[in-house]
Amino acid sequence: MVIPEDIFQEFVDSEEAQEYYREHNSKRDDVAEEKIRPLIDDFQSDDVDIVEFKSRIDGLNKRNQLWGFDGFIGQMHFNKLFNAAPDEVDFGDRLREAIQPPESVDEAGAKIDSFAEYTQRLKDNDIDSDPFPKSTIFFLSYFWHIQRPTEWPIFYPTSEQYLGDVGLLDTDAPYGTRYVNFVETLDELRVEAEPWLESPVEYRDVDNATYWHEDWDDSEIEEEEAGGGIEETETFVDVDKPYLPPVVADLDEVAAGTDEAVNRYAPVDTDLPIIFEQKCGTLFEMLGFDTEVLGQGSGRNPDGIAEAARNDYAVIYDAKKREEGYRIGRDDRTIREYIETHTRRLRDQGKRHIYFAIVSSSFRDTEESTLRDLRTNTDIDNIVLLKADVLQELLRMRLEEPYLNLDDVEWVFGNRPGEIQSEELENIVPEWRQSDSEFSVS
């Protein structure tokens, strides 16, 4: 087994390694700062509940495969914990406390031991989900590292194995103690690496040098760090981007009433709100729904009903053109009327699930109690808020990857109430397709 000094020397001598990890670290910094940390903050402040947090973390890590969280000991472990927890609110509160970065290594060890014990209790009481207590070390350290990358390293199994093989880590120690020893060992290695690596040496620099070493099989590295070459790409679709038909390529601009949209449709003797309704209907048809366009001129009706005839569900949708974003406010009475008017007929037609979707440029001041009341007191299964550009991205995915069907698309409308974020669309991709190294969602 090669000693750390030789690994550091080899890492520094490789221009390929330096270039790769310089770019890799830059991507990590950008994604963590711009996307994941804000989401964690929203979760910690109760602005995002556990259901939405789990879904969005999943989508972000599938889109940005930079830390290995999308694998068995990350997101899959998260799913197992959630499924095993008897009370999702209690689980969310426990997780909020657990992912708060510790102030000392002793506190880190105590947090890991405590959450591992909690995981063991869930495991004992739910044989189907079967969460694995050891995964706690990676799971919590990932969230700590995202929030404070220079203070808390991620506990990768590859690092554990290497350090154990060279006698620098007791891999049989209790989980909390193991992580404390892991941090202390990496602190020593950071000092040893200073003659080779640029100062200050970070925890990830030591990890990167270890991963790069030729003794490690490339497939292990790809599984651990999910470095399958899937780079982060822009979330939304430009007009000139393939797979997005021109007729709906400016849906987001029309929804917001931008100057470009106003000027584009000025020669047309039709108001932008009506154009937006028409484009929404067209987009639902392109997704594969049988769409009945209602809207203005049809009385007190929603703008349309999109039926998945072979999939036994339907989406009642309403398009709201707004420059400053849409707020439900007192519209809940109108929405309730739309639901009551159409759900009985749809149930009589055999629709097992009926959803309500509001499409707009953006959303503001949404009260969860309003959505909850609509779900509780009407015959609707779920109500979702979709920004126009998220709906465009859904269509792009559907057209680019024909294997996606309306069963997959139903996840968007039925998974949870509230605003669906773009990164959550990753969850409609079947697991067998996610493992395809040539596949990426734009």
Side-chain angles (χ1 to χ4, degrees):
M1 177 61 65
V2 178
I3 60 175
E5 290 86 346
D6 291 342
I7 288 180
F8 297 145
Q9 184 66 60
E10 178 185 314
F11 184 67
V12 170
D13 290 342
S14 173
E15 293 183 5
E16 183 182 1
Q18 295 302 304
E19 180 179 357
Y20 173 79
Y21 279 107
R22 190 178 301 113
E23 180 180 355
H24 196 65
N25 289 342
S26 177
K27 290 178 184 177
R28 284 173 160 177
D29 293 340
D30 290 344
V31 173
E33 179 177 358
E34 297 172 9
K35 298 183 178 182
I36 302 183
R37 276 184 218 143
L39 176 58
I40 293 175
D41 290 342
D42 287 344
F43 176 60
Q44 293 284 31
S45 62
D46 263 342
D47 291 333
V48 167
D49 65 18
I50 184 63
V51 177
E52 180 177 350
F53 182 64
K54 181 174 74 71
S55 177
R56 291 176 62 184
I57 280 289
D58 189 11
L60 281 170
N61 279 282
K62 286 173 180 172
R63 185 181 296 275
N64 307 284
Q65 298 183 358
L66 301 169
W67 293 276
F69 191 80
D70 56 312
F72 289 100
I73 58 177
Q75 186 63 43
M76 185 171 292
H77 181 63
F78 198 166
N79 295 340
K80 288 182 176 182
L81 288 169
F82 180 82
N83 292 335
D87 183 335
E88 68 180 39
V89 174
D90 175 69
F91 172 58
D93 291 340
R94 289 175 182 269
L95 186 62
R96 286 186 179 91
E97 193 282 328
I99 67 174
Q100 183 67 33
E103 298 301 326
S104 67
V105 289
D106 289 339
E107 183 184 348
K111 279 195 167 197
I112 286 174
D113 283 338
S114 176
F115 203 78
E117 291 173 4
Y118 169 65
T119 302
Q120 183 64 55
R121 292 197 300 274
L122 295 180
K123 178 184 177 72
D124 293 340
N125 294 325
D126 191 311
I127 60 174
D128 293 328
S129 299
D130 195 30
F132 189 37
K134 183 187 174 183
S135 298
T136 300
I137 319 178
F138 170 86
F139 184 70
L140 294 188
S141 65
Y142 160 81
F143 287 107
W144 299 343
H145 178 80
I146 291 294
Q147 296 171 86
R148 298 182 186 175
T150 61
E151 297 180 34
W152 301 110
I154 297 178
F155 189 87
Y156 287 114
T158 301
S159 301
E160 178 191 24
Q161 180 181 342
Y162 171 74
L163 295 175
D165 287 345
V166 296
L168 296 177
L169 182 69
D170 180 3
T171 57
D172 293 322
Y175 301 141
T177 303
R178 199 178 315 178
Y179 184 71
V180 169
N181 294 341
F182 175 74
V183 174
E184 293 172 345
T185 299
L186 288 191
D187 284 337
E188 295 173 0
L189 290 177
R190 289 165 63 194
V191 174
E192 290 186 26
E194 288 181 353
W196 292 276
L197 305 181
E198 293 184 10
S199 183
V201 179
E202 298 182 21
Y203 290 119
R204 65 184 179 185
D205 297 326
V206 177
D207 284 334
N208 293 343
T210 303
Y211 295 144
W212 189 259
H213 187 257
E214 62 184 2
D215 282 355
W216 294 106
D217 181 74
D218 288 342
S219 62
E220 291 183 12
I221 297 174
E222 290 176 2
E223 179 179 355
E224 187 73 41
E225 280 222 81
I230 300 179
E231 299 183 358
E232 180 191 9
T233 56
E234 291 298 320
T235 301
F236 304 129
V237 184
D238 295 324
V239 171
D240 297 330
K241 195 165 185 177
Y243 297 110
L244 195 66
V247 68
V248 294
D250 62 349
L251 184 76
D252 52 344
E253 296 178 1
V254 175
T258 64
D259 291 340
E260 291 82 358
V262 171
N263 294 332
R264 184 178 302 124
Y265 293 100
V268 181
D269 188 21
T270 306
D271 293 335
L272 275 186
I274 297 178
I275 292 174
F276 183 45
E277 294 172 11
Q278 294 170 342
K279 286 179 177 287
C280 282
T282 300
L283 194 148
F284 274 103
E285 289 179 352
M286 290 180 172
L287 284 170
F289 291 98
D290 295 329
T291 304
E292 179 184 4
V293 178
L294 300 170
Q296 296 188 23
S298 64
R300 292 185 65 80
N301 275 309
D303 291 320
I305 300 174
E307 297 185 41
R310 297 182 179 179
N311 310 84
D312 297 330
Y313 74 92
V315 180
I316 303 171
Y317 68 87
D318 210 34
K320 301 292 186 182
K321 173 197 164 292
R322 295 290 190 277
E323 294 181 14
E324 302 297 330
Y326 174 71
R327 180 177 182 273
I328 290 182
R330 296 182 179 178
D331 284 356
D332 63 318
R333 297 179 182 177
T334 303
I335 293 171
R336 187 188 305 272
E337 183 178 339
Y338 292 163
I339 293 171
E340 292 173 348
T341 300
H342 294 281
T343 50
R344 178 176 296 180
R345 173 177 63 85
L346 292 169
R347 296 291 186 196
D348 289 343
Q349 292 175 352
K351 298 298 184 293
R352 292 183 298 106
H353 300 294
I354 303 173
Y355 309 111
F356 195 94
I358 300 174
V359 185
S360 191
S361 58
S362 61
F363 298 92
R364 58 187 179 87
D365 302 329
T366 301
E367 295 185 4
E368 297 299 326
S369 59
T370 301
L371 302 181
R372 184 167 55 250
D373 180 67
L374 286 169
R375 293 180 66 204
T376 302
N377 298 311
T378 68
D379 188 22
I380 203 76
D381 292 293
N382 197 27
I383 178 168
V384 297
L385 310 179
L386 291 171
K387 291 196 294 187
D389 46 17
V390 173
L391 199 56
Q392 286 175 301
E393 175 68 1
L394 178 62
L395 175 63
R396 187 203 62 76
M397 293 172 63
R398 175 79 168 89
L399 297 179
E400 185 178 17
E401 299 293 340
Y403 67 85
L404 289 175
N405 55 47
L406 291 182
D407 273 338
D408 301 315
V409 171
E410 185 177 8
W411 186 96
V412 175
F413 302 101
N415 179 60
R416 67 173 183 83
E419 183 177 352
I420 304 301
Q421 304 295 326
S422 61
E423 59 264 22
E424 294 181 83
L425 296 184
E426 301 284 347
N427 294 308
I428 74 172
V429 180
E431 290 186 3
W432 65 267
R433 188 59 165 156
Q434 293 169 8
S435 62
D436 187 343
S437 61
E438 297 181 357
F439 174 73
S440 65
V441 176
S442 298

